[in-house]
Structure formats: structure tokens, C-alpha cells
């Protein structure tokens, strides 16, 4: 025991002699701040935009279809979105020389949209079109020149006339694709850790709302991923939201049978040779509408990452149950049966192959 104490003292004296004692007093990195999301509705922004100056920094993101669908919008499957300061994704148009998607587009410019500017040849930002600026990754922190440096009012889109990638540089050493990959792993681990809560919440809402009806399925999981840049703190924020749902469903059929081949035109009346024959319009194709009770749970996580890639904040979106009743559409028919008129007249007929 004396030997241990003497040697520890000797090490301290040696460290002081070498000027290394300061290492033992170096400040520790701040602990990760944890908390709970207080505003569920604002957790994923919905059609939230703000005016942009002539140059701005934000994230350029691939695979934005789910987020755009959340806003009720759609676009090409490979189109990229831009977000900054916690706002929703905006479509980004970029100038091109060959095979433009859009020609002579007039856009509002200036942060108040007081002027307009016309671009002769544009396409949407995509993994192909942004290679002009050396951007070859699905997620990038970029400085964007907005509408030729004239800025943009709050809206769904703008023209990115120049871009510069910032992640992986001295300005922001962490590489955004690596950050996203790491956070996806963290989120999957958090889902596994909360599996017992998820199962318990699903069982409870199922018991409370089904009231004797049988679950037909299918059980579905929807994932929503959102990333933005916070200029005030120079951090990237990433949100994950998961919805797990099941249900007790019925189905109604609409439309008649479609013939297996095209019907020939009717014969021409006598003496009308050469006249155009009238072809009756094709019957409407049959389709099936699902209705009934949907129930499930929603949960998620938000992470903030500093410029060195360190997670500094984690906020939990708690497990919360939901349910929704969709009434049967009037005018439909049960599969192989009579008409659907009213929920009170509708016997429980699950989909073929249901549970």
C-alpha cells in the first residue's frame, strides 16, 4: 500500500515538473442534455417556411418524399430538399444547360418577394444536378446562393444558383452522412429499449377501442426522418418519428368487371362506309376502399449535434396512443356481396386473408 501511495505522489511530482499537470484539470466536455418534447404538433414542421437572404446555410437532403407527403406535396423521387432554422423542406431549382425540366420560370425574389426574376433553364436539385458544385453525398451542410443573391420570400421553393459544401471542412469538421448514419443507429437502439412501453401502449389502446371487434391487420410501421440546421448554435438537428398502427378493417368494392380484352367497335350502319365508328367509353376499373378502425402508437427522438459530430442534446417524443374511425363510403359493395349503406347495416367482413 505504501508503494502505491509513493508512486502516485511521484507521478504527480513528475507531471508538475514536465508542465503536464494542466492536463488533469482540463475541462470535461459538456454532458448530453436530455429532455422531453413538449409540443408534439411542432415536432415535425408542417408547411413552415421563412424568408431567406441572398446567401444562407442549411442542409441539403435526399429522400424527402415522406416529409413532402407530410406537407401534402410531391415531386420527382430523386429531388432534394433544403431546410434551415427548423423550417420545413423547400424544393430547390438549379440552373442547367442540357435537358431542362422547367423553362422560363418566373420566381419572386427579395426577402419580401417584391420583385420577380425569370430563369430560362432549370431542373430540380438532385444527386445528379448538384454534382456541378462537387456535392456527391445524400446529406450535406451547404452555403447556398439564393435566387442569384437576391434572396427569397417564405415559400415552398427557390433557385439555388450556387452551392458550397461546408460539412467535412474547417467550418464544420463533422461529415453529415456519417452523422446521419450514427443517429439512425442510436434511434434504432432507443426503439429497442422502449419496446416494452410500445407493446404495452398498443395492447391498452387495442383493448380500449376495439370493443369486441377482431383485429384484421395489416400491422404497419411508418418512419419519418427530418434534418435541419440551426445557425444560432451552429448545430444540426435530426428528428425521427415512428408510427406503429393496426386495425379492424372492412372493404367496399366500386366499379364493375373489366373485360379481359378490348371490345371491338360496333358494326357501321348500312351506307355509312368510311364513317368513324362510335366506340363506347371503357367501363370504370374496379377499386377497393378500406374503412374501419385504425389504432396505434407514436413515438420519436430528436438529436442535436455540434460541428464536431458530438451529440449534445437528446429529446424524447414519448409513446402516445391514437385511434381513428373511418366510416364506410356510400355506394360501394362488400366483396362478393350487397351494397354498403350505413355503418349500422354493415356486418363485420374482414378482407380476404385477414386475421
Amino acid at each position: 500500500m505504501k508503494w502505491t501511495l509513493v508512486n502516485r505522489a511521484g507521478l504527480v511530482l513528475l507531471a508538475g515538473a514536465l508542465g503536464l499537470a494542466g492536463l488533469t484539470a482540463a475541462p470535461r466536455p459538456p454532458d448530453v442534455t436530455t429532455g422531453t418534447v413538449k409540443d408534439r404538433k411542432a415536432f415535425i414542421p408542417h408547411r413552415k417556411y421563412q424568408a431567406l437572404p441572398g446567401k444562407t446555410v442549411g442542409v441539403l437532403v435526399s429522400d424527402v418524399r415522406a416529409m413532402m407527403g407530410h406537407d401534402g406535396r410531391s415531386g420527382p423521387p430523386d429531388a432534394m430538399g433544403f431546410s434551415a432554422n427548423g423550417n420545413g423542406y423547400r424544393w430547390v431549382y438549379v440552373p442547367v444547360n442540357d435537358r431542362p425540366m422547367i423553362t422560363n420560370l418566373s420566381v419572386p425574389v427579395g426577402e419580401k418577394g417584391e420583385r420577380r426574376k425569370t430563369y430560362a433553364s432549370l431542373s430540380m436539385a438532385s444527386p445528379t444536378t448538384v454534382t456541378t458544385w462537387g456535392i456527391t453525398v445524400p446529406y450535406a451542410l451547404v452555403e447556398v446562393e439564393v435566387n442569384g443573391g437576391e434572396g427569397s420570400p417564405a415559400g415552398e421553393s427557390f433557385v439555388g444558383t450556387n452551392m458550397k459544401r461546408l460539412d467535412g471542412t474547417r467550418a464544420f469538421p463533422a461529415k453529415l452522412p456519417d452523422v446521419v448514419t450514427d443517429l439512425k443507429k442510436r434511434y434504432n437502439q432507443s426503439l429497442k429499449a422502449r419496446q416494452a412501453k410500445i407493446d404495452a401502449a398498443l395492447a391498452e389502446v387495442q383493448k380500449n377501442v376495439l370493443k369486441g371487434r377482431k383485429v384484421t391487420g395489416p400491422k404497419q410501421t411508418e418512419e419519418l426522418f427530418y434534418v435541419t440546421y440551426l445557425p444560432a448554435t451552429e448545430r444540426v438537428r435530426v428528428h425521427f418519428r415512428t408510427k406503429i398502427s393496426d386495425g379492424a378493417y372492412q372493404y367496399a368494392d366500386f366499379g364493375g368487371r373489366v373485360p379481359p380484352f378490348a371490345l371491338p367497335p360496333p358494326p357501321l350502319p348500312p351506307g355509312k362506309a368510311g364513317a368513324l365508328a362510335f366506340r363506347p367509353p371503357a367501363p370504370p376499373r374496379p377499386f377497393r376502399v378500406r374503412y374501419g378502425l385504425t389504432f396505434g402508437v407514436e413515438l420519436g427522438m430528436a438529436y442535436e449535434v455540434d460541428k464536431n459530430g458530438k451529440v449534445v442534446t437528446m429529446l424524447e417524443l414519448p409513446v402516445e396512443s391514437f385511434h381513428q374511425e373511418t366510416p364506410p363510403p356510400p355506394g360501394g359493395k362488400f366483396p362478393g356481396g350487397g351494397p354498403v349503406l350505413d355503418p349500422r347495416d354493415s356486418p363485420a367482413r374482414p378482407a380476404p386473408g385477414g386475421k
Side-chain angles (χ1 to χ4, degrees), residues 102-255:
I102 306 165
T103 57
N104 298 319
L105 179 67
S106 175
V107 299
V109 298
E111 294 186 39
K112 296 182 179 180
E114 61 272 20
R115 303 180 303 280
R116 299 195 71 85
K117 191 172 184 177
T118 300
Y119 289 89
S121 180
L122 297 172
S123 284
M124 300 193 78
S126 71
T128 301
T129 57
V130 298
T131 56
T132 301
W133 299 292
I135 300 171
T136 58
V137 292
Y139 313 102
L141 181 67
V142 295
E143 180 185 67
V144 182
E145 182 183 76
V146 180
N147 293 337
E150 297 188 57
S152 168
E156 296 184 2
S157 62
F158 64 89
V159 179
T161 44
N162 195 13
M163 295 188 194
K164 178 183 177 182
R165 184 180 175 188
L166 300 179
D167 63 305
T169 69
R170 292 182 63 183
F172 198 95
K175 294 182 179 180
L176 204 53
D178 296 340
V179 168
V180 170
T181 299
D182 174 66
L183 294 182
K184 286 182 176 180
K185 292 179 181 178
R186 286 174 180 261
Y187 182 62
N188 288 333
Q189 291 170 356
S190 78
L191 288 179
K192 292 179 181 178
R194 289 193 278 176
Q195 191 61 54
K197 289 184 179 180
I198 295 171
D199 294 341
L202 275 172
E204 183 179 2
V205 68
Q206 177 178 334
K207 177 182 177 181
N208 291 340
V209 304
L210 280 187
K211 302 186 184 304
R213 284 187 278 184
K214 292 184 178 180
V215 177
T216 64
K219 189 175 183 180
Q220 296 177 308
T221 299
E222 298 178 12
E223 301 281 0
L224 199 57
F225 164 77
Y226 163 73
V227 56
T228 190
Y229 177 68
L230 307 177
T233 56
E234 297 184 310
R235 294 176 180 175
V236 169
R237 175 181 283 176
V238 180
H239 290 195
F240 298 93
R241 192 188 71 183
T242 300
K243 279 189 173 182
I244 304 170
S245 63
D246 210 331
Y249 301 119
Q250 298 168 250
Y251 293 79
D253 288 338
F254 290 82

Side-chain angles (χ1 to χ4, degrees), residues 53-67:
K55 280 190 177 180
T56 189
V57 176
V59 290
L60 189 67
V61 187
S62 295
D63 193 14
V64 297
R65 289 173 292 179
M67 268 296 297

